[in-house]
Amino acid sequence: QVQLVQSGAEVKKPGASVKVSCKASGYTFTGYYMHWVRQAPGQGLEWMGRINPNSGGTNYAQKFQGRVTMTRDTSISTAYMELSRLRSDDTAVYYCAREGPLAVAGSFDYWGQGTLVTVSS
Amino acid sequence: AIRMTQSPSSLSASTGDRVTITCRASQGISSYLAWYQQKPGKAPKLLIYAASTLQSGVPSRFSGSGSGTDFTLTISCLQSEDFATYYCQQYYSYPPTFGQGTKLEIK
């Protein structure tokens, strides 16, 4: 069965960077785009970007351009999202989400459990 | 970016009720719309894609309709496990965008 397992909660100081991992299992990792979506406390869902695990190609939301880097390691079926120059308003739960295949493409059919990143001095 | 607006923002209903949530896009998105359910402390769950196609394993009391700019999610007979927050998402163009959410609460 498809599973996306994310790394644990992080506490960071303003100005620092955080790197969240997402380990995939139960499917061919290189066959599906991986997206990152975040959710601030009590707020809605915000798309951050995506990576093509096969090519490594990325697309980022304009809001995060220059601060976010998405990478992958195909040998261990793991995607990464690194966010730099953290601010207090980056405090959120960060999710990885697989883009569905074929007819489902564009929507997110499997999600990780989420990683809480807290930015506080 | 395409703006997605849901209504209402919150909704109180009872078990057994039929409820409808509306999602409006700021421009036409054909049928490139998904609906998600999110429970507190959990990741969103895909319910419907392509505006009206039920994801595998989702109960048939959930249904979706619409195309262009106006969409609806209907739950025909509310069960206790359906009380959650619901989000729509467009994937017609990048960036993908979500509605602000509709919180469905027990009356």
Side-chain angles (χ1 to χ4, degrees), chain A residues 19-22 29 34 36 50-53 56-58 60 68-74 77-82:
Chain A
K19 190 171 185 177
V20 179
S21 67
C22 171
F29 177 66
M34 190 72 79
W36 291 87
R50 71 172 184 176
I51 185 167
N52 179 338
T58 55
Y60 302 139
V68 70
T69 305
M70 296 178 187
T71 57
R72 91 292 190 217
D73 184 338
T74 57
S77 300
T78 300
Y80 302 92
M81 186 285 299
E82 183 170 22

Side-chain angles (χ1 to χ4, degrees), chain B:
Chain B
I2 297 175
R3 181 174 176 84
M4 306 301 292
T5 303
Q6 290 180 231
S7 60
S9 295
S10 63
L11 176 59
S12 293
S14 300
T15 304
D17 284 354
R18 176 187 179 93
V19 299
T20 297
I21 298 168
T22 296
C23 178
R24 175 164 288 175
S26 61
Q27 65 185 76
I29 60 169
S30 186
S31 295
Y32 294 100
L33 185 100
W35 289 97
Y36 299 88
Q37 176 193 66
Q38 187 179 33
K39 296 182 179 179
K42 300 295 186 182
K45 172 188 175 183
L46 177 64
L47 298 176
I48 287 170
Y49 61 93
S52 61
T53 303
L54 217 57
Q55 173 67 337
S56 176
V58 174
S60 58
R61 63 181 180 273
F62 291 91
S63 63
S65 66
S67 67
T69 59
D70 295 312
F71 302 86
T72 59
L73 171 70
T74 299
I75 311 172
S76 61
C77 182
L78 274 173
Q79 303 297 303
S80 57
E81 61 266 32
D82 300 336
F83 292 96
T85 300
Y86 293 85
Y87 294 93
C88 61
Q89 175 231 335
Q90 69 80 21
Y91 50 98
Y92 176 79
S93 69
Y94 266 70
T97 46
F98 294 88
Q100 82 280 13
T102 295
K103 187 173 184 179
L104 178 54
E105 299 174 302
I106 300 173
K107 185 182 288 185

